Amino acid sequence: MCCPEVPPPEMLTLRSRGSARKGELRRGTHADDDDGFGMSGRAKPSNFPSRTTTRGREKNFLVGAFGPPCKVGIEFSNAETRKQASVKKENGQVVMVPLFLGQDSVAGEVRIEPLPGKKVEHLGVKIELLGQIELYFDRGSFYDFTSLVRELDVPGEILECKTYPFEFSTVEMQYESYNGVNVRLRYVLKVTISRSYATNIVEYRDFWVHNYSPQPDINNSIKMEVGIEDCLHIEFEYSKSKYHLKDVIVGKIYFLLVRIKIKHMELEVRRRESTGSGPNTYNESETLAKYEIMDGAPVRGESIPIRLFLSPYDLTPTYRNINNKFSVKYYLNLVLVDEEDRRYFKQQEITMYRLE
Amino acid sequence: MQAAEHDAVFTSAEEQEKWLADAMALVQHHAFYMHRALDANNIRDVLKFSAQMLSELRTSKLSPQKYYELYMRTFDELRQLEVFFREEGKRGRLNADIYELVQHAGNILPRLYLLCTVGSVYIKSKEAPAKDVLKDLVEMSRGVQHPIRGLFLRSYLSQISRDKLPDIGSPYEGEGGSVMDAVEFVLQNFTEMNKLWVRMQHQGLVRDKEKREKERSELRDLVGKNLHVLSQLEGVDLEMYREVVLPRVLEQVVNCKDELAQYYLMDCIIQVFPDDFHLQTLETLLGACPQLQPTVDIKTVMSQLMERLSKYVAASPDVLQEFLQVEAFSKFSHSVVEVIDAQPDMPLVGAVSLHVSLLTFVLRVHADRLDYIDQVLGACVKKLEGKGKVKDSKATKQLVALLSAPLEKYKDVVVVLKLSNYARVMEHLDYETNKVMTVVLIQSILSNSTMISAPDKVDALFELLKELIQDSEGQPLLDMVDEEDFQEEQNLVARLVHMLVNDDPEQMFLILTTARKHFVQGGPRRLQYTLPPLIFTALKLVHSLQAQDLPEEGEGSGSVSLKKVFQFLHQMVEALAMVPAAELSLRLYLQCAEAAGDCGLEPVAYEFFTQAFVLYEEEVSDSKAQVTALQLIIGTLQRTRVFGVENRDTLTHKATGYSAKLLKKPDQCRAVYICSHLFWVEDGGTIDGERVLLCLKRALRIAHAAQQMSSATRGTSGPMTLFVEILNKYLYHFEKGNPQVTSSVIQGLLELIVTDMQSEATTHDLEVDAFLASTVRYIQFQKQKGDSIAEQYASIEVQ
């Protein structure tokens, strides 16, 4: 595979993929081909493996099982009007979570309601806003890159329902929330009722963060001539190198020399998630979109248009070296398949960004 | 849904049927769910199932014909989808959104079918300019490069866009674009379709080539339809056609370098666009012809064009002026030359038939321009130069067509004779065909009753017909010629002679001399057919000269005189006598003699008689022929009254002398009694009753001798009929009032006959009995008439 990190020479050889790699690609072929419609995130389900079910973070939600003496609720202010993001959970369920922007104030109130006939004695109540990176391969360890605390109550006891307003104003949430294959970046509110003799009562409330980027000042087109000597020469052009999430990829492929019998050509959008660093780097690639752009064999001089709408696919912005923990990069992969099912391809990185 | 698995491997019909049935069933299946989604207004599912349905069209297994069936099936479903999209628009969904939505489909073919369908609705809604949508659709369709799938997709595009082009007067004009956009769209679609179509031939195995070409030609109308659409556009006027449409179409035609496509598309252009367009862009259109592949059947294409244009003139004669203005003819003829040069492998038949077409065009359009016709023939001669006789039978046929065309048109050989190149073309025909052609020529003259009245034309005509009237190189051996055919041909020539007519005797004589000049080269076999009509025509001239009362002697050598004509006649009959054709010449001599006699030219007539007698003596040997000849001589002599006593006596004496010398008695007898007429010529002839009687008596004597001879040998009464015949002669002369023939003589003869008949009871010839009986009846009838003749007859008694 052509390595995107190494700046390619002007002419690159499209290589036929070896048999070792073929299996991997076939997976995509079979899963996606029979459904003509690649609506949102169609390549996604297979990318959420079941291994996450045993992860430790699951117990965060099970804490209250002991039957704590009170119910703890965290409500955001303007909950009704706030935008929400749909987030796919591990089990495939889609849940809606409140959406915040990077510089937003996170405010609301915490409501502690003792169960009837019970009282809560505590050593203090606090609320924390945490930004965490969770690397799955690292035994589920968290790295908090943001941690803000507000004390809500001094030690004492709560006899009846009590609400505490809180506010974290203009919080620096520089990273976007992200659910990946090997990594998760989450923002969460954590309410802790400290107790001296019993375990602390802890309640979490997730929320989602998006960061908008401005339109890039420079957005060059990607234009390149590639080929296999005396066999296939093409020139392709994508109008931009940076795309927002609802953008359209427009371009064309110009055939300079065709001596192989091409069956069809498709454009793939691939995501590569790299986690860890140094020798412990894990790379995970997924094909998010497979989009046929040509059927049949062209002849010399043909130019084939490209128009791929990105909106149906579940993409995120490109994340580069987030807190030295992970990166998410996007690639456009142009694949030509010949009549003997050999695949010739050329991969180009594109930058994704979130436009307001 | 197994797309492009085995590309273009078309197999047996059975498998094809099965695959089609499978695909049809799947279409049906998906269509069912699509309908459900349509009813539920669930656009997401609609798109999903329609895309699945359309995925069936991704097959590579079907032959074009089967693929067409499948296409038609899905086409029907897409109509419903279109209705749905329209309603979605009414429900408030933006067409632009649907237009985007369908593009999310992952596979290109279903995506583009859907896009076209939505695009059609989009244009109709006028939410976007038609030109933009059309441009986008035709551009995006480039993604399908598979020939059959691409052709059908673009055909679909063409179909749905036909009524939505921003043509002049269309609701989509104006903001939706101009007719230029419409033209651009159709042209682009046409170009791409043609490219796909041409590319089809390179698909698959070499051994299937023939089959593939057949399949290709089944698809040709998909491509041609675009030209039809162009021709239907209101906004495509002559200007637009000349500046944009034609050059672009021709560019594609020429550049595709494909025989099948070039031929079909040229034909298409000619058929779909109006005549006046062709006329005004003739140069461009013809300019493309030599650039086509050398194997293209360009002659048919050009012929069609010429035919169309000539029909155009025929339908509206007032456009002829335009033809002249654009110099249609010279363009065509120029182009014919170029095309032939450009296609060195073109068989001779092609080149010739191109000239035939051109000639037909000229004949229809410029019938008055003989120079054009001659030019065409000249061009053809040029092509044939150095090729000698054309051997190829097809080319020969075309040459005959070329030569026949002016004949059929003008129905007048005289016009043809004005064409200097006509004979030169004919020279290239082989012997047999040349003869056929000459026959055609003559038949044309005969059936149209064309009179040829100028000596030089006669000369030219016979020059054309020389294969027929002379021996020539290519001629087969004489024994090989079918006698009947030969006779028929020569009879035609003979009939032709009668078409040579000129009222001016001098001219006419010149014509005859010319004709003779040609005929005498024909050899003895032909002379006996060709000379007689010429002689009779000359005799006719004699009659007309006689009527004009010309002097016997011409003043100068140039002018014609009776004497000259007779001299001419004499030479001809003499020539005929040398053939030899004695009996024929004899008759003709006599005919001439009579004519001379009528003209009062005694020596001439005498000379002819002399010649006839010489012939009789020297050449006529067969006894039967002698009898006939003698009868003719006697008859003619009897009628010729010009002779003086001396000449007459000599001739009659000779004739009677011949009569007595005939071989058989009955012939002698008959000849002698006929001779009796020579001595009884009323109205100024000799009347010599004695010699009449002498003849009759002599006839009786011979009859007697004959009777005795026959009874001695066979004992029959054979020659009894002779007596009855002689009796009839007696009666004739009796009635004419010959004093020497008396009733008593007749009575005696009658009784003699009756007695003889009764006495000789051996055999009774019924015919003789009847003859006698009717003779007797005649006598009785004359007796009872009661006029002067009856009185004459009164003395004859009949039982």
Side-chain angles (χ1 to χ4, degrees), chain B residues 351-581:
Chain B
V352 178
S353 57
L354 261 177
H355 284 100
V356 173
S357 307
L358 185 59
L359 187 68
T360 318
F361 172 77
V362 174
L363 289 175
R364 287 192 187 169
V365 179
H366 304 292
D368 52 333
R369 297 297 296 263
L370 284 180
D371 54 331
Y372 284 179
I373 298 173
D374 207 30
Q375 221 172 311
V376 176
L377 293 174
C380 191
V381 167
K382 220 170 175 182
K383 277 294 132 207
L384 294 170
E385 229 160 53
K387 294 209 167 68
K389 302 273 184 204
V390 175
K391 297 282 189 299
D392 177 19
S393 68
K394 280 185 192 157
T396 310
K397 224 179 238 172
Q398 287 300 321
L399 276 178
V400 171
L402 185 74
L403 292 168
S404 313
L407 276 182
E408 281 160 21
K409 171 72 187 178
Y410 295 111
K411 306 204 182 307
D412 186 357
V413 168
V414 179
V415 175
V416 171
L417 294 176
K418 284 182 195 153
L419 305 170
S420 61
N421 285 311
Y422 198 88
R424 294 173 63 199
V425 175
M426 260 186 99
E427 272 168 25
H428 287 281
L429 292 174
D430 61 34
Y431 174 72
E432 281 302 322
T433 326
N434 200 323
K435 239 169 47 182
V436 170
M437 195 57 226
T438 53
V439 170
V440 169
L441 267 169
I442 296 174
Q443 268 163 351
S444 152
I445 298 174
L446 294 177
S447 61
N448 298 312
S449 309
T450 314
M451 298 297 171
I452 297 148
S453 51
D456 57 328
K457 292 282 176 289
V458 173
D459 197 30
L461 176 65
F462 285 127
E463 196 59 43
L464 278 183
L465 302 179
K466 66 181 174 211
E467 298 277 1
L468 214 53
I469 55 181
Q470 295 176 18
D471 288 328
S472 63
E473 303 163 28
Q475 190 180 7
L477 292 173
L478 280 182
D479 327 348
M480 311 280 282
V481 182
D482 185 57
E483 191 59 34
E484 246 175 69
D485 288 352
F486 182 76
Q487 276 183 19
E488 218 163 280
E489 287 158 19
Q490 296 306 319
N491 282 338
L492 276 172
V493 179
R495 288 175 67 190
L496 175 64
V497 173
H498 295 292
M499 307 312 286
L500 312 177
V501 173
N502 194 318
D503 287 341
D504 179 13
E506 224 162 288
Q507 290 291 313
M508 188 60 204
F509 187 61
L510 221 57
I511 289 175
L512 293 176
T513 336
T514 316
R516 189 187 60 177
K517 186 183 82 196
H518 286 277
F519 286 163
V520 291
Q521 290 165 29
R525 265 165 61 83
R526 289 191 181 79
L527 282 184
Q528 50 183 317
Y529 293 100
T530 51
L531 284 188
L534 202 56
I535 289 166
F536 280 104
T537 319
L539 287 174
K540 231 195 285 179
L541 176 63
V542 167
H543 279 299
S544 62
L545 278 173
Q546 200 187 355
Q548 288 178 24
D549 220 5
L550 276 170
E552 271 181 37
E553 298 282 340
E555 293 94 50
S557 56
S559 64
V560 66
S561 69
L562 277 172
K563 209 164 182 183
K564 266 190 179 169
V565 180
F566 278 113
Q567 222 161 35
F568 174 76
L569 280 166
H570 190 271
Q571 284 163 2
M572 279 196 292
V573 186
E574 201 172 17
L576 198 55
M578 309 286 274
V579 167

Side-chain angles (χ1 to χ4, degrees), chain B residues 95-279:
Chain B
N95 277 303
D97 289 347
I98 310 178
Y99 196 71
E100 184 194 320
L101 205 52
V102 296
Q103 294 185 64
H104 296 171
N107 282 321
I108 185 158
L109 196 69
R111 176 164 77 233
L112 289 176
Y113 271 103
L114 288 174
L115 196 65
C116 290
T117 313
V118 179
S120 138
V121 177
Y122 200 5
I123 296 172
K124 214 160 186 181
S125 75
K126 295 194 185 174
E127 284 172 32
K131 60 170 180 179
D132 293 348
V133 179
L134 289 174
K135 194 168 160 49
D136 190 55
L137 290 176
V138 78
E139 194 59 39
M140 293 312 283
S141 297
R142 279 177 186 277
V144 180
Q145 292 287 324
H146 186 277
I148 294 179
R149 296 197 282 271
L151 272 175
F152 277 96
L153 171 71
R154 286 184 179 273
S155 167
Y156 179 67
L157 172 59
S158 161
Q159 184 90 7
I160 56 115
S161 63
R162 273 185 86 168
D163 53 345
K164 299 177 186 72
L165 300 173
D167 187 16
I168 285 177
S170 127
Y172 308 103
E173 200 205 355
E175 276 192 23
S178 66
V179 67
M180 196 59 216
D181 297 300
V183 167
E184 196 59 37
F185 166 76
V186 181
L187 275 175
Q188 196 180 343
N189 205 31
F190 161 74
T191 308
E192 293 299 325
M193 278 178 91
N194 190 45
K195 284 201 282 194
L196 291 170
W197 186 47
V198 169
R199 210 186 291 164
M200 233 182 107
Q201 64 186 305
H202 305 303
Q203 302 267 314
L205 303 165
V206 180
R207 64 183 151 88
D208 295 335
K209 189 162 171 61
E210 203 174 305
K211 194 176 169 196
R212 219 161 35 235
E213 290 297 283
K214 189 175 157 282
E215 285 170 352
R216 269 190 69 203
S217 68
E218 284 168 8
L219 292 178
R220 61 183 190 180
D221 288 342
L222 296 183
V223 183
K225 200 114 175 224
N226 287 298
L227 296 180
H228 184 68
V229 172
L230 278 175
S231 73
Q232 299 287 303
L233 286 175
E234 287 288 322
V236 175
D237 51 8
L238 179 59
E239 175 80 12
M240 173 90 71
Y241 178 74
R242 178 168 42 207
E243 301 300 325
V244 182
V245 176
L246 186 64
R248 289 275 298 277
V249 173
L250 285 180
E251 186 194 358
Q252 175 58 27
V253 172
V254 169
N255 287 346
C256 77
K257 294 199 188 327
D258 176 65
E259 183 187 344
L260 186 64
Q262 288 185 335
Y263 174 69
Y264 171 71
L265 291 176
M266 286 304 281
D267 193 34
C268 232
I269 294 173
I270 293 169
Q271 301 303 336
V272 299
F273 292 107
D275 299 312
D276 55 326
F277 283 19
H278 291 319
L279 189 57

Side-chain angles (χ1 to χ4, degrees), chain A residues 33-40 42 261-264 290-299 301-307 309 311-313 339 341, chain B residues 1 4-5 7 44 47-48 51-52 58 99-109 111 114-115 136 139-140 142-146 149 192 195 199:
Chain A
D33 245 13
D34 49 359
D35 182 352
F37 256 82
M39 293 303 187
S40 60
R42 115 190 111 97
K261 286 192 170 171
I262 295 171
K263 201 161 70 179
H264 61 97
K290 265 169 106 71
Y291 194 72
E292 191 183 23
I293 54 175
M294 186 184 74
D295 172 28
V299 292
E302 285 298 345
S303 103
I304 307 298
I306 303 172
R307 183 155 70 218
F309 290 91
S311 58
Y313 307 105
E339 286 192 339
D341 279 330
Chain B
M1 245 168 276
E5 283 286 290
D7 212 6
R44 221 180 179 75
L47 294 182
K48 182 175 151 194
Q52 282 180 5
R58 297 174 68 204
Y99 196 71
E100 184 194 320
L101 205 52
V102 296
Q103 294 185 64
H104 296 171
N107 282 321
I108 185 158
L109 196 69
R111 176 164 77 233
L114 288 174
L115 196 65
D136 190 55
E139 194 59 39
M140 293 312 283
R142 279 177 186 277
V144 180
Q145 292 287 324
H146 186 277
R149 296 197 282 271
E192 293 299 325
K195 284 201 282 194
R199 210 186 291 164

